[in-house]
Amino acid sequence: MNKKKTTKILAAYITVFMVTAAFVMPASVAQPQNAATPFTAGPVNPKNGGALWVQDSNGLTLQLCLDPSLCFFDPVVPGNLYSERIGFGPEAFWWLGESSIKNKGFSALLVMATEFAWATEEPAPGDQFPFTRLRFRLDPPADGTYTITHPYGVDVFEGTKGVRIFVSHDIPFTAPGQNQGKIGPFLTRVYVPPDGPAPGFISKGFDDVGPVTGSPLGTNYFEVRAVDPKGLPTIDLDNNINGVQSVVRTNDFSVMGQIATRHGVQVNRADYDLDPLDPGIAVFASTSNSTPLETINVSGAGLTPTAMAAGPSDPTGVWKRYFTFIVNNVPPPSINVTNTLDPAEDPACLTGDAFGPSCESTVVYPLIDRVTITKAYFYRSTGELEILASSTDPGATLTAFADDGTELDVLTGGSLKIFNVAVPPAYVTVKSSFRGADTEPVEVGFCELAGSSNVCLRK
Protein backbone atom coordinates (compact mmCIF):
# COMPACT_ATOMS: atom_id res chain seq x y z
CA MET A 1 0.00 0.00 0.00
CA ASN A 2 1.31 3.38 -0.94
CA LYS A 3 2.01 5.55 2.12
CA LYS A 4 3.27 8.61 0.29
CA LYS A 5 3.15 11.89 2.16
CA THR A 6 1.56 14.99 0.76
CA THR A 7 4.41 17.46 0.62
CA LYS A 8 2.55 20.74 0.95
CA ILE A 9 2.07 22.01 4.52
CA LEU A 10 -0.11 25.01 5.29
CA ALA A 11 0.67 27.93 7.54
CA ALA A 12 -2.73 28.60 9.09
CA TYR A 13 -4.11 31.31 11.35
CA ILE A 14 -4.84 29.83 14.78
CA THR A 15 -7.75 30.83 16.97
CA VAL A 16 -6.98 30.00 20.61
CA PHE A 17 -9.71 29.09 23.08
CA MET A 18 -9.25 29.60 26.83
CA VAL A 19 -9.86 26.65 29.13
CA THR A 20 -9.80 27.49 32.84
CA ALA A 21 -7.87 25.36 35.30
CA ALA A 22 -11.13 24.36 36.97
CA PHE A 23 -12.45 22.67 33.83
CA VAL A 24 -11.85 18.91 33.67
CA MET A 25 -12.43 16.90 30.47
CA PRO A 26 -11.98 13.15 30.90
CA ALA A 27 -10.75 11.31 27.81
CA SER A 28 -13.99 9.31 27.78
CA VAL A 29 -16.03 12.40 26.82
CA ALA A 30 -14.80 12.52 23.22
CA GLN A 31 -15.01 9.14 21.56
CA PRO A 32 -13.65 8.35 18.09
CA GLN A 33 -16.30 8.75 15.42
CA ASN A 34 -16.42 9.22 11.68
CA ALA A 35 -19.39 10.50 9.72
CA ALA A 36 -17.94 10.45 6.20
CA THR A 37 -20.56 9.79 3.52
CA PRO A 38 -20.14 7.38 0.57
CA PHE A 39 -18.91 8.60 -2.79
CA THR A 40 -19.16 7.24 -6.33
CA ALA A 41 -16.21 6.59 -8.62
CA GLY A 42 -17.14 7.10 -12.27
CA PRO A 43 -16.26 5.09 -15.37
CA VAL A 44 -12.69 3.94 -15.86
CA ASN A 45 -10.78 6.51 -17.88
CA PRO A 46 -9.21 4.57 -20.78
CA LYS A 47 -6.37 7.11 -20.88
CA ASN A 48 -5.01 6.44 -17.38
CA GLY A 49 -6.94 3.49 -15.92
CA GLY A 50 -8.41 5.47 -13.01
CA ALA A 51 -11.87 6.87 -12.39
CA LEU A 52 -12.81 9.57 -14.89
CA TRP A 53 -14.57 11.36 -12.05
CA VAL A 54 -15.58 11.02 -8.41
CA GLN A 55 -18.91 12.28 -7.06
CA ASP A 56 -19.68 12.97 -3.41
CA SER A 57 -23.02 12.59 -1.63
CA ASN A 58 -23.89 16.21 -2.44
CA GLY A 59 -23.53 15.58 -6.18
CA LEU A 60 -20.23 17.48 -6.54
CA THR A 61 -18.38 15.73 -9.38
CA LEU A 62 -14.63 16.22 -9.74
CA GLN A 63 -12.08 15.10 -12.30
CA LEU A 64 -8.34 14.79 -11.74
CA CYS A 65 -6.99 18.26 -10.93
CA LEU A 66 -4.17 18.69 -13.47
CA ASP A 67 -4.09 22.45 -14.13
CA PRO A 68 -0.50 23.44 -13.25
CA SER A 69 -1.55 26.92 -12.11
CA LEU A 70 -4.33 25.76 -9.78
CA CYS A 71 -3.56 22.16 -8.84
CA PHE A 72 -0.90 20.38 -6.83
CA PHE A 73 0.36 17.15 -8.44
CA ASP A 74 3.61 15.45 -9.32
CA PRO A 75 4.94 16.38 -12.77
CA VAL A 76 5.51 13.92 -15.58
CA VAL A 77 8.40 11.53 -15.00
CA PRO A 78 10.95 12.21 -17.79
CA GLY A 79 11.43 9.18 -20.01
CA ASN A 80 8.38 7.37 -18.63
CA LEU A 81 6.14 7.03 -21.70
CA TYR A 82 3.07 6.15 -19.67
CA SER A 83 3.58 9.16 -17.40
CA GLU A 84 3.88 11.35 -20.50
CA ARG A 85 0.64 9.88 -21.83
CA ILE A 86 -1.39 10.58 -18.67
CA GLY A 87 0.14 13.98 -17.83
CA PHE A 88 1.33 13.42 -14.25
CA GLY A 89 3.83 11.48 -12.17
CA PRO A 90 3.68 9.48 -8.92
CA GLU A 91 0.57 11.21 -7.55
CA ALA A 92 -2.36 13.39 -8.53
CA PHE A 93 -5.65 14.23 -6.85
CA TRP A 94 -9.34 14.33 -7.58
CA TRP A 95 -9.69 16.28 -4.33
CA LEU A 96 -7.23 17.44 -1.70
CA GLY A 97 -7.68 19.29 1.58
CA GLU A 98 -5.25 20.25 4.36
CA SER A 99 -5.21 22.25 7.54
CA SER A 100 -2.44 22.86 10.04
CA ILE A 101 -1.79 24.32 13.46
CA LYS A 102 1.72 25.56 14.13
CA ASN A 103 2.75 27.23 17.36
CA LYS A 104 6.09 27.46 19.09
CA GLY A 105 6.58 24.04 20.63
CA PHE A 106 3.47 22.47 19.07
CA SER A 107 2.30 21.53 15.58
CA ALA A 108 -0.49 19.46 14.06
CA LEU A 109 -1.39 18.59 10.48
CA LEU A 110 -4.61 17.25 8.95
CA VAL A 111 -4.53 15.79 5.42
CA MET A 112 -7.64 14.66 3.53
CA ALA A 113 -7.53 13.41 -0.05
CA THR A 114 -8.97 11.39 -2.88
CA GLU A 115 -5.74 10.41 -4.55
CA PHE A 116 -4.42 8.68 -7.68
CA ALA A 117 -1.14 6.92 -7.00
CA TRP A 118 0.75 3.79 -8.04
CA ALA A 119 1.61 0.64 -6.12
CA THR A 120 5.30 1.09 -6.97
CA GLU A 121 5.14 4.92 -7.34
CA GLU A 122 6.30 4.90 -10.97
CA PRO A 123 3.31 5.29 -13.34
CA ALA A 124 2.68 2.04 -15.20
CA PRO A 125 -0.43 0.49 -16.79
CA GLY A 126 -2.13 -1.94 -14.43
CA ASP A 127 -0.35 -0.50 -11.37
CA GLN A 128 -2.99 2.11 -10.51
CA PHE A 129 -3.66 2.64 -6.80
CA PRO A 130 -6.56 5.04 -6.14
CA PHE A 131 -7.39 5.65 -2.48
CA THR A 132 -8.89 8.05 0.03
CA ARG A 133 -6.74 9.43 2.83
CA LEU A 134 -7.43 10.81 6.29
CA ARG A 135 -4.10 11.56 7.97
CA PHE A 136 -3.11 13.08 11.31
CA ARG A 137 0.35 14.26 12.32
CA LEU A 138 0.73 15.61 15.84
CA ASP A 139 3.77 16.51 17.99
CA PRO A 140 2.68 16.21 21.66
CA PRO A 141 4.41 18.72 23.96
CA ALA A 142 3.52 16.56 27.00
CA ASP A 143 2.10 13.18 27.98
CA GLY A 144 -1.67 13.14 27.78
CA THR A 145 -4.82 12.55 25.73
CA TYR A 146 -5.23 14.52 22.51
CA THR A 147 -8.68 14.83 20.95
CA ILE A 148 -8.82 15.97 17.34
CA THR A 149 -12.08 17.32 15.94
CA HIS A 150 -12.15 17.65 12.17
CA PRO A 151 -14.77 17.99 9.41
CA TYR A 152 -15.48 14.25 9.31
CA GLY A 153 -15.45 13.33 12.97
CA VAL A 154 -13.46 13.03 16.18
CA ASP A 155 -10.27 11.02 16.79
CA VAL A 156 -8.58 10.49 20.15
CA PHE A 157 -4.89 9.65 20.67
CA GLU A 158 -2.74 8.95 23.69
CA GLY A 159 0.39 11.04 23.30
CA THR A 160 3.91 10.88 24.74
CA LYS A 161 6.09 13.96 24.93
CA GLY A 162 8.59 14.05 22.08
CA VAL A 163 7.02 11.09 20.22
CA ARG A 164 5.21 12.09 17.03
CA ILE A 165 1.68 10.77 16.47
CA PHE A 166 1.37 9.80 12.82
CA VAL A 167 -1.79 7.97 11.71
CA SER A 168 -2.89 7.62 8.09
CA HIS A 169 -6.11 5.91 7.02
CA ASP A 170 -5.47 5.05 3.35
CA ILE A 171 -8.45 3.17 1.94
CA PRO A 172 -8.32 1.90 -1.69
CA PHE A 173 -11.39 2.35 -3.86
CA THR A 174 -12.57 0.89 -7.14
CA ALA A 175 -14.08 2.28 -10.32
CA PRO A 176 -16.80 2.23 -11.32
CA GLY A 177 -19.01 2.01 -8.26
CA GLN A 178 -19.90 3.31 -4.84
CA ASN A 179 -17.17 3.45 -2.20
CA GLN A 180 -16.77 4.36 1.45
CA GLY A 181 -13.73 6.05 2.94
CA LYS A 182 -13.12 8.29 5.94
CA ILE A 183 -13.60 11.52 3.99
CA GLY A 184 -16.67 12.90 2.20
CA PRO A 185 -18.45 14.96 1.08
CA PHE A 186 -15.67 17.07 -0.44
CA LEU A 187 -15.02 20.37 1.33
CA THR A 188 -15.13 23.52 -0.80
CA ARG A 189 -13.83 27.03 -0.10
CA VAL A 190 -16.21 29.69 1.20
CA TYR A 191 -16.00 33.13 -0.43
CA VAL A 192 -17.74 36.44 0.16
CA PRO A 193 -19.29 37.65 -3.13
CA PRO A 194 -18.23 38.99 -5.52
CA ASP A 195 -15.14 36.94 -4.70
CA GLY A 196 -15.28 33.29 -5.74
CA PRO A 197 -13.35 30.25 -6.93
CA ALA A 198 -11.61 30.04 -10.27
CA PRO A 199 -14.12 29.07 -13.01
CA GLY A 200 -14.50 25.30 -13.08
CA PHE A 201 -12.75 24.79 -9.72
CA ILE A 202 -13.75 24.64 -6.04
CA SER A 203 -11.14 27.20 -4.97
CA LYS A 204 -8.59 29.62 -6.39
CA GLY A 205 -5.96 26.94 -6.05
CA PHE A 206 -4.22 24.99 -3.32
CA ASP A 207 -2.40 28.09 -2.06
CA ASP A 208 -5.73 29.83 -1.39
CA VAL A 209 -6.22 29.40 2.36
CA GLY A 210 -9.50 30.17 4.12
CA PRO A 211 -12.78 28.83 5.53
CA VAL A 212 -14.56 25.84 4.01
CA THR A 213 -17.97 24.23 3.96
CA GLY A 214 -19.18 20.65 3.45
CA SER A 215 -18.65 18.91 6.80
CA PRO A 216 -21.46 16.38 7.37
CA LEU A 217 -21.23 17.30 11.07
CA GLY A 218 -20.98 21.06 10.61
CA THR A 219 -17.46 20.96 12.08
CA ASN A 220 -15.73 22.92 9.35
CA TYR A 221 -12.63 23.37 11.49
CA PHE A 222 -9.53 21.60 12.80
CA GLU A 223 -9.26 21.50 16.59
CA VAL A 224 -6.88 19.87 19.05
CA ARG A 225 -7.85 19.52 22.72
CA ALA A 226 -5.37 18.16 25.28
CA VAL A 227 -5.67 16.90 28.85
CA ASP A 228 -2.95 15.49 31.07
CA PRO A 229 -3.00 11.89 32.41
CA LYS A 230 -5.28 13.05 35.24
CA GLY A 231 -7.79 14.52 32.81
CA LEU A 232 -6.84 18.12 33.62
CA PRO A 233 -6.36 20.84 30.95
CA THR A 234 -2.79 21.63 31.99
CA ILE A 235 -1.08 20.94 28.66
CA ASP A 236 -0.17 24.16 26.90
CA LEU A 237 -0.56 24.10 23.12
CA ASP A 238 0.31 27.80 22.74
CA ASN A 239 3.69 27.99 24.51
CA ASN A 240 2.39 30.27 27.29
CA ILE A 241 1.71 33.18 24.93
CA ASN A 242 -1.69 33.71 26.55
CA GLY A 243 -1.35 31.49 29.58
CA VAL A 244 -2.10 27.77 29.45
CA GLN A 245 -4.16 27.11 26.33
CA SER A 246 -5.17 23.46 26.10
CA VAL A 247 -7.49 23.91 23.11
CA VAL A 248 -6.45 25.33 19.74
CA ARG A 249 -8.55 25.59 16.62
CA THR A 250 -8.26 26.86 13.06
CA ASN A 251 -10.98 27.47 10.48
CA ASP A 252 -8.41 27.80 7.69
CA PHE A 253 -8.05 25.09 5.07
CA SER A 254 -6.46 24.69 1.69
CA VAL A 255 -8.59 22.67 -0.75
CA MET A 256 -8.45 21.97 -4.45
CA GLY A 257 -10.60 20.20 -7.01
CA GLN A 258 -11.61 20.60 -10.64
CA ILE A 259 -15.25 20.20 -11.61
CA ALA A 260 -15.68 17.38 -14.11
CA THR A 261 -16.33 18.35 -17.72
CA ARG A 262 -16.55 14.77 -19.00
CA HIS A 263 -18.89 12.04 -17.83
CA GLY A 264 -17.54 9.33 -20.13
CA VAL A 265 -19.10 5.90 -20.46
CA GLN A 266 -18.67 2.45 -18.91
CA VAL A 267 -19.25 -0.51 -21.22
CA ASN A 268 -20.74 -3.27 -19.09
CA ARG A 269 -21.12 -5.85 -21.85
CA ALA A 270 -20.84 -6.09 -25.64
CA ASP A 271 -21.08 -9.35 -27.55
CA TYR A 272 -22.27 -10.66 -30.89
CA ASP A 273 -24.54 -13.48 -32.00
CA LEU A 274 -24.30 -15.14 -35.43
CA ASP A 275 -27.64 -16.90 -35.15
CA PRO A 276 -28.86 -16.82 -38.79
CA LEU A 277 -32.39 -15.95 -37.63
CA ASP A 278 -31.35 -12.92 -35.56
CA PRO A 279 -27.69 -11.95 -35.97
CA GLY A 280 -26.44 -8.84 -34.24
CA ILE A 281 -24.56 -7.04 -31.48
CA ALA A 282 -25.89 -6.46 -27.95
CA VAL A 283 -24.34 -3.52 -26.09
CA PHE A 284 -24.93 -2.60 -22.44
CA ALA A 285 -23.39 0.55 -20.96
CA SER A 286 -23.82 3.10 -18.18
CA THR A 287 -22.85 6.65 -17.35
CA SER A 288 -23.83 9.41 -14.96
CA ASN A 289 -27.50 10.10 -14.37
CA SER A 290 -27.15 13.78 -15.26
CA THR A 291 -29.19 16.63 -16.68
CA PRO A 292 -29.26 16.98 -19.62
CA LEU A 293 -29.45 13.27 -20.27
CA GLU A 294 -26.27 11.79 -21.71
CA THR A 295 -26.31 10.59 -25.33
CA ILE A 296 -24.34 7.38 -25.91
CA ASN A 297 -23.52 6.30 -29.47
CA VAL A 298 -22.19 3.00 -30.80
CA SER A 299 -20.13 2.96 -33.98
CA GLY A 300 -17.61 0.74 -35.73
CA ALA A 301 -16.43 -0.58 -39.08
CA GLY A 302 -19.45 -1.33 -41.25
CA LEU A 303 -21.91 -0.10 -38.61
CA THR A 304 -24.31 2.81 -38.86
CA PRO A 305 -23.77 4.97 -35.72
CA THR A 306 -26.58 4.07 -33.35
CA ALA A 307 -27.82 5.92 -30.29
CA MET A 308 -28.34 3.72 -27.25
CA ALA A 309 -31.66 3.76 -25.42
CA ALA A 310 -31.54 5.18 -21.88
CA GLY A 311 -33.12 3.08 -19.17
CA PRO A 312 -33.65 3.45 -15.42
CA SER A 313 -31.09 4.81 -13.00
CA ASP A 314 -29.58 2.69 -10.24
CA PRO A 315 -30.82 2.86 -6.62
CA THR A 316 -28.27 5.55 -5.73
CA GLY A 317 -29.44 7.72 -8.61
CA VAL A 318 -25.87 8.23 -9.81
CA TRP A 319 -25.82 5.82 -12.78
CA LYS A 320 -28.15 5.44 -15.73
CA ARG A 321 -28.22 2.25 -17.79
CA TYR A 322 -28.17 2.12 -21.60
CA PHE A 323 -28.81 -0.65 -24.16
CA THR A 324 -28.89 -1.20 -27.91
CA PHE A 325 -29.08 -4.13 -30.31
CA ILE A 326 -27.61 -3.63 -33.78
CA VAL A 327 -28.71 -6.12 -36.41
CA ASN A 328 -25.52 -7.20 -38.17
CA ASN A 329 -24.30 -10.32 -39.98
CA VAL A 330 -20.58 -9.45 -39.94
CA PRO A 331 -19.60 -7.86 -36.63
CA PRO A 332 -16.41 -5.75 -36.58
CA PRO A 333 -13.52 -6.75 -34.30
CA SER A 334 -14.37 -3.86 -31.96
CA ILE A 335 -16.88 -1.07 -31.44
CA ASN A 336 -16.59 2.52 -30.26
CA VAL A 337 -18.96 3.56 -27.48
CA THR A 338 -19.00 7.36 -27.14
CA ASN A 339 -20.59 9.88 -24.82
CA THR A 340 -21.43 12.50 -27.45
CA LEU A 341 -22.38 15.17 -24.91
CA ASP A 342 -18.81 15.32 -23.65
CA PRO A 343 -16.40 17.84 -25.20
CA ALA A 344 -15.07 16.69 -28.57
CA GLU A 345 -11.76 14.84 -28.63
CA ASP A 346 -9.01 14.62 -31.23
CA PRO A 347 -9.90 11.58 -33.40
CA ALA A 348 -6.27 10.51 -33.07
CA CYS A 349 -7.13 9.27 -29.58
CA LEU A 350 -8.89 6.31 -31.19
CA THR A 351 -5.55 5.15 -32.55
CA GLY A 352 -3.74 6.11 -29.37
CA ASP A 353 -0.18 5.07 -28.70
CA ALA A 354 1.80 2.02 -27.61
CA PHE A 355 -0.60 1.61 -24.67
CA GLY A 356 -3.72 1.66 -26.82
CA PRO A 357 -6.51 4.20 -27.43
CA SER A 358 -6.22 7.32 -25.29
CA CYS A 359 -9.74 8.76 -25.51
CA GLU A 360 -11.55 9.75 -22.32
CA SER A 361 -15.11 9.89 -23.68
CA THR A 362 -14.91 6.91 -26.08
CA VAL A 363 -14.35 3.31 -25.07
CA VAL A 364 -12.90 1.12 -27.83
CA TYR A 365 -14.38 -2.22 -26.84
CA PRO A 366 -13.40 -5.57 -28.42
CA LEU A 367 -16.41 -7.58 -29.56
CA ILE A 368 -16.62 -11.13 -28.24
CA ASP A 369 -18.94 -14.05 -28.71
CA ARG A 370 -21.22 -15.11 -25.88
CA VAL A 371 -20.45 -18.46 -24.25
CA THR A 372 -23.07 -20.34 -22.24
CA ILE A 373 -22.41 -23.38 -20.06
CA THR A 374 -25.57 -25.47 -19.99
CA LYS A 375 -24.22 -28.31 -17.87
CA ALA A 376 -21.32 -28.80 -15.49
CA TYR A 377 -21.94 -32.03 -13.58
CA PHE A 378 -19.84 -34.43 -11.51
CA TYR A 379 -21.20 -37.96 -11.19
CA ARG A 380 -20.16 -39.22 -7.76
CA SER A 381 -20.95 -42.84 -8.67
CA THR A 382 -18.63 -42.96 -11.68
CA GLY A 383 -16.12 -40.14 -11.11
CA GLU A 384 -17.12 -38.54 -14.41
CA LEU A 385 -17.12 -34.76 -15.02
CA GLU A 386 -19.39 -33.66 -17.87
CA ILE A 387 -19.43 -30.17 -19.39
CA LEU A 388 -21.81 -28.91 -22.08
CA ALA A 389 -21.44 -25.40 -23.54
CA SER A 390 -22.16 -23.36 -26.65
CA SER A 391 -21.05 -20.16 -28.35
CA THR A 392 -22.95 -17.58 -30.39
CA ASP A 393 -20.23 -18.03 -33.03
CA PRO A 394 -20.42 -21.48 -34.65
CA GLY A 395 -16.75 -21.24 -35.62
CA ALA A 396 -15.53 -20.93 -32.05
CA THR A 397 -13.22 -23.41 -30.39
CA LEU A 398 -14.27 -23.96 -26.77
CA THR A 399 -11.82 -24.95 -24.04
CA ALA A 400 -12.67 -25.84 -20.42
CA PHE A 401 -10.62 -24.77 -17.39
CA ALA A 402 -10.77 -25.69 -13.70
CA ASP A 403 -11.14 -22.98 -11.08
CA ASP A 404 -7.37 -23.04 -10.39
CA GLY A 405 -6.67 -22.19 -14.04
CA THR A 406 -5.74 -25.72 -15.11
CA GLU A 407 -6.77 -26.46 -18.69
CA LEU A 408 -9.05 -29.46 -18.79
CA ASP A 409 -9.56 -30.08 -22.52
CA VAL A 410 -11.22 -28.82 -25.70
CA LEU A 411 -14.95 -29.43 -26.09
CA THR A 412 -16.01 -31.47 -29.13
CA GLY A 413 -19.37 -30.54 -30.55
CA GLY A 414 -20.02 -28.53 -27.40
CA SER A 415 -19.37 -31.50 -25.08
CA LEU A 416 -16.55 -32.68 -22.83
CA LYS A 417 -16.38 -35.75 -20.60
CA ILE A 418 -13.50 -36.38 -18.22
CA PHE A 419 -13.29 -39.76 -16.48
CA ASN A 420 -11.71 -40.99 -13.26
CA VAL A 421 -11.93 -37.62 -11.50
CA ALA A 422 -11.30 -38.02 -7.77
CA VAL A 423 -11.80 -34.36 -6.75
CA PRO A 424 -13.86 -32.20 -9.10
CA PRO A 425 -13.30 -28.43 -9.39
CA ALA A 426 -15.78 -26.20 -7.57
CA TYR A 427 -16.25 -24.14 -10.73
CA VAL A 428 -15.44 -24.55 -14.40
CA THR A 429 -14.85 -21.89 -17.01
CA VAL A 430 -15.31 -22.37 -20.73
CA LYS A 431 -13.38 -19.94 -22.91
CA SER A 432 -13.89 -19.31 -26.60
CA SER A 433 -11.23 -18.67 -29.22
CA PHE A 434 -13.18 -15.44 -29.88
CA ARG A 435 -12.63 -14.28 -26.27
CA GLY A 436 -16.06 -15.07 -24.84
CA ALA A 437 -16.23 -16.99 -21.55
CA ASP A 438 -18.64 -18.34 -18.97
CA THR A 439 -18.07 -19.67 -15.45
CA GLU A 440 -20.49 -21.91 -13.57
CA PRO A 441 -20.41 -24.00 -10.38
CA VAL A 442 -20.05 -27.75 -10.80
CA GLU A 443 -23.19 -29.54 -9.72
CA VAL A 444 -22.49 -32.72 -7.75
CA GLY A 445 -24.84 -35.70 -7.69
CA PHE A 446 -25.15 -39.46 -7.31
CA CYS A 447 -26.40 -40.46 -10.76
CA GLU A 448 -26.29 -43.10 -13.42
CA LEU A 449 -26.42 -42.67 -17.17
CA ALA A 450 -29.53 -44.21 -18.71
CA GLY A 451 -28.12 -45.91 -21.77
CA SER A 452 -26.76 -43.40 -24.26
CA SER A 453 -29.42 -40.78 -23.63
CA ASN A 454 -27.32 -38.86 -21.09
CA VAL A 455 -30.41 -38.52 -18.87
CA CYS A 456 -29.34 -38.28 -15.26
CA LEU A 457 -31.43 -40.49 -12.98
CA ARG A 458 -31.09 -39.01 -9.48
CA LYS A 459 -31.06 -41.33 -6.47
Side-chain angles (χ1 to χ4, degrees):
M1 181 175 290
N2 192 321
K3 297 292 183 182
K4 293 163 55 55
K5 293 193 295 182
T6 302
T7 57
K8 192 159 183 82
I9 300 178
L10 303 175
Y13 172 80
I14 307 303
T15 303
V16 181
F17 292 82
M18 177 69 72
V19 179
T20 65
F23 180 79
V24 178
M25 179 184 172
S28 60
V29 171
Q31 296 298 323
Q33 57 177 302
N34 187 281
T37 57
F39 70 97
T40 299
V44 174
N45 184 344
K47 185 175 182 178
N48 58 36
L52 184 61
W53 46 262
V54 292
Q55 183 182 99
D56 70 11
S57 57
N58 291 331
L60 177 60
T61 308
L62 302 175
Q63 63 188 45
L64 276 180
C65 197
L66 297 177
D67 186 310
S69 64
L70 294 169
C71 307
F72 169 68
F73 61 94
D74 285 336
V76 167
V77 178
N80 183 317
L81 296 181
Y82 196 69
S83 179
E84 294 173 2
R85 166 190 167 107
I86 64 177
F88 61 95
E91 66 177 354
F93 301 86
W94 289 274
W95 177 80
L96 176 62
E98 290 188 4
S99 185
S100 68
I101 296 172
K102 191 172 180 62
N103 293 327
K104 186 177 181 180
F106 175 72
S107 66
L109 174 69
L110 170 67
V111 179
M112 306 157 290
T114 306
E115 182 171 348
F116 194 140
W118 312 87
T120 56
E121 295 199 15
E122 282 285 312
D127 205 33
Q128 292 83 353
F129 183 75
F131 64 97
T132 61
R133 167 170 288 169
L134 176 62
R135 170 175 288 179
F136 308 100
R137 195 188 73 192
L138 184 70
D139 294 309
D143 294 358
T145 301
Y146 293 80
T147 300
I148 296 176
T149 302
H150 54 88
Y152 302 113
V154 176
D155 285 79
V156 181
F157 302 99
E158 296 301 320
T160 301
K161 181 180 179 179
V163 179
R164 170 169 285 181
I165 295 171
F166 185 89
V167 177
S168 192
H169 302 283
D170 294 345
I171 302 175
F173 68 87
T174 57
Q178 191 174 59
N179 297 270
Q180 178 70 62
K182 286 185 175 291
I183 58 106
F186 308 131
L187 306 178
T188 59
R189 276 279 280 113
V190 174
Y191 296 95
V192 177
D195 197 12
F201 293 81
I202 64 171
S203 70
K204 291 181 178 179
F206 198 52
D207 293 324
D208 180 35
V209 181
V212 295
T213 187
S215 165
L217 299 170
T219 53
N220 293 299
Y221 54 82
F222 176 34
E223 178 188 276
V224 181
R225 180 182 296 266
V227 295
D228 66 20
K230 295 182 179 180
L232 299 173
T234 62
I235 298 175
D236 185 19
L237 303 179
D238 195 32
N239 200 41
N240 292 316
I241 293 177
N242 298 301
V244 175
Q245 307 294 327
S246 64
V247 181
V248 290
R249 177 190 292 186
T250 179
N251 296 321
D252 283 344
F253 289 76
S254 179
V255 296
M256 72 175 200
Q258 184 171 359
I259 297 172
T261 58
R262 295 183 183 278
H263 290 163
V265 62
Q266 184 76 31
V267 179
N268 303 318
R269 175 186 145 194
D271 50 47
Y272 67 89
D273 191 336
L274 295 185
D275 184 336
L277 297 178
D278 191 16
I281 304 166
V283 186
F284 298 81
S286 57
T287 190
S288 60
N289 183 22
S290 64
T291 302
L293 188 65
E294 309 292 326
T295 302
I296 310 300
N297 272 14
V298 178
S299 60
L303 300 181
T304 300
T306 303
M308 300 184 71
S313 59
D314 68 9
T316 68
V318 177
W319 295 96
K320 183 167 283 291
R321 298 192 293 271
Y322 290 78
F323 167 76
T324 191
F325 186 85
I326 302 173
V327 177
N328 188 273
N329 291 291
V330 186
S334 64
I335 55 173
N336 301 332
V337 184
T338 304
N339 188 326
T340 61
L341 286 191
D342 281 358
E345 296 183 272
D346 184 343
C349 72
L350 291 172
T351 302
D353 53 24
F355 303 102
S358 58
C359 307
E360 294 187 314
S361 297
T362 295
V363 175
V364 180
Y365 199 87
L367 275 183
I368 63 174
D369 58 335
R370 188 171 65 258
V371 174
T372 303
I373 297 176
T374 55
K375 184 177 184 180
Y377 197 94
F378 176 67
Y379 300 90
R380 288 165 33 220
S381 60
T382 62
E384 178 186 338
L385 175 63
E386 184 178 20
I387 301 170
L388 302 178
S390 62
S391 165
T392 54
D393 190 324
T397 298
L398 301 180
T399 306
F401 295 83
D403 48 12
D404 63 357
T406 302
E407 181 176 330
L408 298 176
D409 209 340
V410 174
L411 280 70
T412 301
S415 174
L416 173 63
K417 295 180 180 180
I418 303 174
F419 300 95
N420 300 318
V421 176
V423 179
Y427 295 83
V428 292
T429 296
V430 175
K431 298 181 180 180
S432 162
S433 55
F434 296 116
R435 302 186 300 278
D438 186 23
T439 299
E440 297 293 340
V442 174
E443 186 180 359
V444 177
F446 184 74
C447 301
E448 296 177 350
L449 297 181
S452 60
S453 65
N454 284 351
V455 176
C456 180
L457 299 178
R458 299 176 183 274
K459 294 192 176 182

